[in-house]
Amino acid sequence: MPKKIIGLVILAAMIAIVIIGAVKNNTSESDALNNMALGSDVDFLPTEEGLAKGEKAPDFQLTTLDGEVVTLSDYQGQKVILNFWATWCPPCRAEMPHMQNYFEDQAEEANVVILAVNLTTEDKGLKTIEDFVEEFGLEFSIPMDDKGDVGSTYQAVSIPTSYMIDTKGRIQNKVVGPMDAPMMEQLVKEME
């Protein structure tokens, strides 16, 4: 009989720990959403991948959600906003309407291409990604990083992470965190 009681007490304690953890997690997510700040331009450190300011952006080829094959180097001559995101990321959700507005209102005139690379290996399945794109009415290119190689190369550990790439294919800025349309506009103006 005492073994049974001890087992029940241990089980109850484990359940309590799980519930407390879940409540704390939900509270911290709510706080993060309420206090969300814009991303910040981060300092560059030299890397083997070539991610420092002024270095040629590492080339890649991915297939978009629409089935189109895109290669980064094909956009040389245009400015590129290279964004890494996932559907479960609250700052990514906050950023996407701004990115869509920038795309609609300014991208073409400013000679800008938006490549919003979905970190597919970290996401919740193709249907969830398609629903997200439909929910936000996203019209720019959504390359799918289905092996995780491109996100890894570009060190997209904290998302959203965005790189501003100039017309010569060189990285000019790295932004960790969400951007709004005025921030995108300013970063694009600073590029060749």
Side-chain angles (χ1 to χ4, degrees):
M1 194 77 152
K3 286 183 181 178
K4 200 174 203 179
I5 292 174
I6 292 171
L8 289 174
V9 168
I10 290 172
L11 182 61
M14 289 172 52
I15 290 171
I17 289 169
V18 168
I19 290 171
I20 290 169
V23 169
K24 280 185 178 178
N25 188 32
N26 286 341
T27 302
S28 65
E29 283 181 16
S30 295
D31 290 344
L33 281 174
N34 292 334
N35 299 320
M36 193 175 303
L38 288 178
S40 57
D41 195 6
V42 296
D43 289 332
F44 288 96
L45 297 174
T47 64
E48 289 181 23
E49 292 85 1
L51 298 177
K53 183 171 184 157
E55 290 186 337
K56 192 87 163 162
D59 202 12
F60 62 83
Q61 186 175 74
L62 292 174
T63 302
T64 68
L65 190 58
D66 297 332
E68 176 189 352
V69 175
V70 296
T71 304
L72 180 62
S73 58
D74 288 348
Y75 297 101
Q76 196 157 331
Q78 294 178 286
K79 299 171 186 176
V80 177
I81 297 175
L82 178 61
N83 175 262
F84 293 91
W85 66 282
T87 60
W88 50 262
C89 159
C92 300
R93 292 185 67 81
E95 178 180 63
M96 284 301 172
H98 296 284
M99 199 168 289
Q100 180 59 35
N101 288 340
Y102 180 84
F103 177 76
E104 289 173 6
D105 299 341
Q106 300 179 47
E108 187 175 346
E109 185 179 319
N111 191 31
V112 173
V113 172
I114 296 175
L115 297 177
V117 177
N118 175 264
L119 298 175
T120 314
T121 57
E122 306 296 322
D123 220 320
K124 297 181 176 182
L126 187 58
K127 175 79 170 108
T128 304
I129 298 165
E130 290 171 339
D131 290 347
F132 183 96
V133 169
E134 184 177 330
E135 175 186 349
F136 289 101
L138 304 180
E139 298 170 356
F140 43 81
S141 188
I142 310 283
M144 308 294 283
D145 188 11
D146 56 6
K147 292 187 174 125
D149 296 340
V150 178
S152 178
T153 297
Y154 278 87
Q155 301 174 358
V157 178
S158 178
I159 55 174
T161 291
S162 299
Y163 287 87
M164 309 304 281
I165 302 171
D166 69 17
T167 57
K168 295 186 171 112
R170 298 173 307 198
I171 294 174
Q172 294 301 313
N173 295 89
K174 176 182 179 181
V175 177
V176 176
M179 297 185 292
D180 63 6
M183 185 178 187
M184 287 178 229
E185 181 180 354
Q186 182 60 40
L187 290 168
V188 166
K189 278 183 184 175
E190 294 171 3
M191 290 193 293
E192 291 179 18

